Amino acid sequence: MRRILKAAGAVLAAAACLTAAVPSASAAASASRHAAAEASPAPPANPLSRLGALSWGPAALGSVTNPDRSPAGANDFACKPSAAHPYPVVLVHGTFENAFDNWSGLAPVLKKAGYCVFALNYGESAPRALMKATGPIAASAKQLATYVDKVLAATGAAKVDLVGHSQGGGLMAEWYLRFEGGAAKVHHLVGINPSNHGTTASGTIHLLDAALDVAGHVGKPLGLDSPAAKDQTIGSPVLQQLYAKGDTEPGVAYTTIVSRTDLVVTPYTNQFLTAGPGATVRNILLQDVCPLDLTGHVGGPYDPNVYQLVRNALDPAHAEPVRCALMPIPV
């Protein structure tokens, strides 16, 4: 166990050093840059595709030279949904992440299962930034709206399923559903460690916000500030506006996949949703399904137990038991 934790720390530390040296992400990337990323999905750069937080580090390193690259299995705009899987899946990454480092594990799994899979980059504050989803929540939601419309036009589907991590499965995706017309275009929102109702970041959120303010003044040309972090701070005006009329939108199904060991979106119980009129909610605590799964916030999108929970949420008629792989790294 000690060796595993030491290895995890080394990988994550290396990734953190590199990401800290690269500007945080941009809302206005050129169309040609996105077209290139969509046309040629990259092969997986991550040999540790089922090892939770250990897998995120190599994927982050793999996106350093091309932060806009697509994960394997994603962004084939010639894909047509099958009768078995009529809704394209749009993967929505989290704050300080990008499509490649967030979804290099799950995208190929869903593609192999027969889904049309798409993954956008959004919320950049500087072109070609490594860390994305840093812009204001409302602006990012407009980018998601544009991307979903593009997916629907290309595939001919009536609606999409959204699978998001952190901000991408929580606050930003829900803002899109409520204020950008997304509820009419989304069948199901599946949130992995979603930032619902905001976070205290284990009691450090105000210190973190202050640090981001300093970074913003010093390095704004480099894209180092992060309005998205403030928007996700518990009690923020954005959160108050979003949840003033409840958690959900009529006609949308919601699934949350939450870990007790999440130290980023805290308290973890904030991530649970309450169903309003016309909506359905399933809140899943990971440890209720697999008691020995210690995966936290970073490792959620690389957890094979989470993969099966996502597949079950997307296709409940063919749900399979979760085999409960041992996941010992609480990150």
Side-chain angles (χ1 to χ4, degrees):
M1 173 70 79
R2 186 175 299 173
R3 290 181 181 178
I4 293 173
L5 292 174
K6 186 174 181 181
V11 170
L12 293 170
C17 289
L18 280 169
T19 54
V22 182
S24 32
S26 96
S30 71
S32 60
R33 184 157 54 86
H34 285 294
E38 291 160 359
S40 54
N46 179 9
L48 305 173
S49 60
R50 294 170 67 88
L51 293 178
L54 279 177
S55 298
W56 177 83
L61 295 177
S63 67
V64 168
T65 57
N66 182 7
D68 299 314
R69 69 193 298 191
S70 297
N75 294 333
D76 174 7
F77 277 82
C79 185
K80 298 300 180 183
S82 66
H85 301 306
Y87 304 111
V89 176
V90 176
L91 301 174
V92 191
H93 63 76
T95 313
F96 301 124
E97 297 184 286
N98 58 59
F100 187 84
D101 70 34
N102 214 155
W103 302 121
S104 284
L106 184 58
V109 169
L110 293 178
K111 182 68 172 181
K112 186 177 180 181
Y115 291 90
C116 291
V117 181
F118 300 89
L120 78 159
N121 283 303
Y122 71 91
E124 300 168 298
S125 54
R128 295 189 61 80
L130 180 62
M131 294 182 287
K132 306 180 190 296
T134 62
I137 293 295
S140 291
K142 290 182 182 298
Q143 293 177 52
L144 177 58
T146 299
Y147 190 83
V148 168
D149 286 350
K150 180 178 180 180
V151 170
L152 292 175
T155 61
K159 293 185 177 184
V160 302
D161 286 330
L162 300 181
V163 177
H165 178 231
S166 195
Q167 176 192 159
L171 182 57
M172 193 278 280
E174 290 163 357
W175 189 279
Y176 161 64
L177 295 178
R178 178 150 289 175
F179 299 120
E180 294 296 335
K185 301 173 183 179
V186 173
H187 167 253
H188 200 149
L189 169 60
V190 181
I192 302 170
N193 314 117
S195 61
N196 301 330
H197 303 118
T199 179
T200 67
S202 296
T204 68
I205 190 63
H206 296 298
L207 178 62
L208 176 62
D209 284 344
L212 288 169
D213 276 343
V214 173
H217 286 297
V218 174
K220 198 163 188 174
L222 301 176
L224 293 177
D225 63 327
S226 180
K230 282 193 170 183
D231 287 346
Q232 293 172 95
T233 298
I234 196 165
S236 75
V238 167
L239 284 161
Q240 292 179 48
Q241 182 178 350
L242 175 60
Y243 295 116
K245 296 183 179 180
D247 291 353
T248 62
E249 286 294 297
V252 180
Y254 297 77
T255 298
T256 69
I257 302 173
V258 178
S259 176
R260 186 179 281 114
T261 59
D262 192 328
L263 299 180
V264 176
V265 180
T266 58
Y268 73 87
T269 50
N270 269 16
Q271 299 176 41
F272 297 136
L273 295 173
T274 300
T280 62
V281 169
R282 186 182 180 202
N283 294 310
I284 302 172
L285 183 62
L286 184 57
Q287 287 76 26
D288 283 348
V289 180
C290 298
L292 297 182
D293 189 332
L294 302 183
T295 298
H297 192 83
V298 174
Y302 285 93
D303 183 335
N305 303 324
V306 171
Y307 295 168
Q308 189 59 57
L309 290 171
V310 170
R311 290 183 60 184
N312 289 350
L314 295 176
D315 189 6
H318 299 93
E320 298 179 7
V322 180
R323 295 183 179 180
C324 287
L326 176 64
M327 304 298 291
I329 303 173
V331 179

